[in-house]
Amino acid sequence: MKPYYERAGIALYHGDCHEVFPVLEPGKFSVMLTDPPYCSGAATSSAKTADPVAKYCQNGDAKGRPTFSGDAKDQRSFVAWSVFWMSACRRLLKDGGYGLVFTDWRQLPSVTDAFQAADFTWRGLIAWDKGLSSRSPHKGYARHQCEYLVWGTNGKCRPRADAGPFPGCHHESVRQADKFHIVGKPTELMVKLVEFCPVGESLIDCFAGSGTTLVAAAKSGRYGVGIEREEANCEIAARRLDRFFESPERQEN
Ligand SMILES: C[S@@+](CC[C@H](N)C(=O)[O-])C[C@H]1O[C@@H](n2cnc3c(N)ncnc32)[C@H](O)[C@@H]1O
């Protein structure tokens, strides 16, 4: 299988992660850092199965960004599917490799269950604090200000001499100019998170979206493989990577 995009140690595959896992080398990756569809964002089943643009974009305005797939599973199938991909991806990690999976408050219990069922050793949570511009339905609410990373290791957590301890909370607001996917993560947040991966080693993001994890890896001297099912998002990721590789910022490194 040929990558959709490949340059300077960064590869992006277009396809379902389960089609791509078998072509990757078991035990190669130091980190799995990924942001799967949350299958959240709605209380009723009809709202849950709505287009992600309606679920996650204020007033249904995607600001020209493409939609994405895989976000309509009900709770039981979400857990079963999560165990399935987490187990397959864990086999691609080194012994002691890290797993970090984004989720929100609604799906946190399901993701911690799936993570352990997939034989990761669950070691904690990292909060991403998006700040006070986060939405709250009305004044009686606490803001849904944080998303979370469930993190752990494939076996033992080895002592590190090169980095860490890593922050358990990151404060990073969402800027529209740095958002290339309707639920894209800030590039600077991902730059901080790729620190789990030693410089010169490889990470995997099996739900790459607009390629933010890969851009962060490239910016900070890591290698990486991404997988994304929607071609429109692959194209956005490829153009972002090209822009980085051709930027003065890269030339200086
Ligand atoms: C939450 S988004 C990732 C956004 C990304 N972190 C960013 O900053 O752009 C999840 C992505 O996973 C993709 N996806 C869903 N199911 C998939 C599957 N089975 N295999 C590969 N990609 C999938 C979706 O199309 C979507 O773009």
Side-chain angles (χ1 to χ4, degrees), residues 49-64:
T49 52
D51 188 309
V53 170
K55 279 165 50 169
Y56 300 123
C57 300
Q58 222 150 10
N59 307 320
D61 181 6
K63 299 190 164 51

Side-chain angles (χ1 to χ4, degrees), residues 86-194:
M86 287 181 196
S87 305
C89 199
R90 188 186 55 72
R91 291 187 197 101
L92 301 175
L93 293 183
K94 294 183 173 165
D95 247 7
Y98 293 95
L100 296 107
V101 182
F102 274 98
T103 188
D104 71 356
W105 65 276
R106 292 184 185 88
Q107 298 293 55
L108 187 54
S110 299
V111 173
T112 58
D113 284 351
F115 195 71
Q116 294 172 91
D119 275 341
F120 276 101
T121 306
W122 179 30
R123 299 196 182 273
L125 296 174
I126 298 167
W128 166 35
D129 170 12
K130 298 179 273 188
L132 292 176
S133 58
S134 312
R135 277 195 269 172
S136 69
H138 57 69
K139 282 188 169 181
Y141 255 72
R143 289 179 191 281
H144 294 308
Q145 186 168 337
C146 290
E147 292 179 27
Y148 305 93
L149 289 122
V150 173
W151 81 272
T153 49
N154 179 30
K156 284 204 170 122
C157 185
R158 302 190 189 288
R160 293 275 294 265
D162 61 318
F166 305 102
C169 182
H170 292 282
H171 305 274
E172 202 64 58
S173 54
V174 176
R175 287 182 304 110
Q176 291 303 321
D178 179 44
K179 196 169 171 186
F180 301 89
H181 185 285
I182 58 176
V183 293
K185 299 295 182 276
T187 310
E188 282 317 301
L189 171 68
M190 301 314 294
V191 166
K192 290 172 186 158
L193 291 169
V194 300

Side-chain angles (χ1 to χ4, degrees), residues 204-216:
I204 178 164
D205 179 356
C206 37
F207 303 100
S210 62
T212 316
T213 309
L214 298 180
V215 171

Side-chain angles (χ1 to χ4, degrees), residues 15-17 35-37 68-69 181 183-185 206-210 212 228-230 233:
D16 189 290
C17 57
D35 179 20
F68 64 95
S69 58
H181 185 285
V183 293
K185 299 295 182 276
C206 37
F207 303 100
S210 62
T212 316
E228 167 59 41
R229 199 158 75 169
E230 298 301 323
N233 286 320

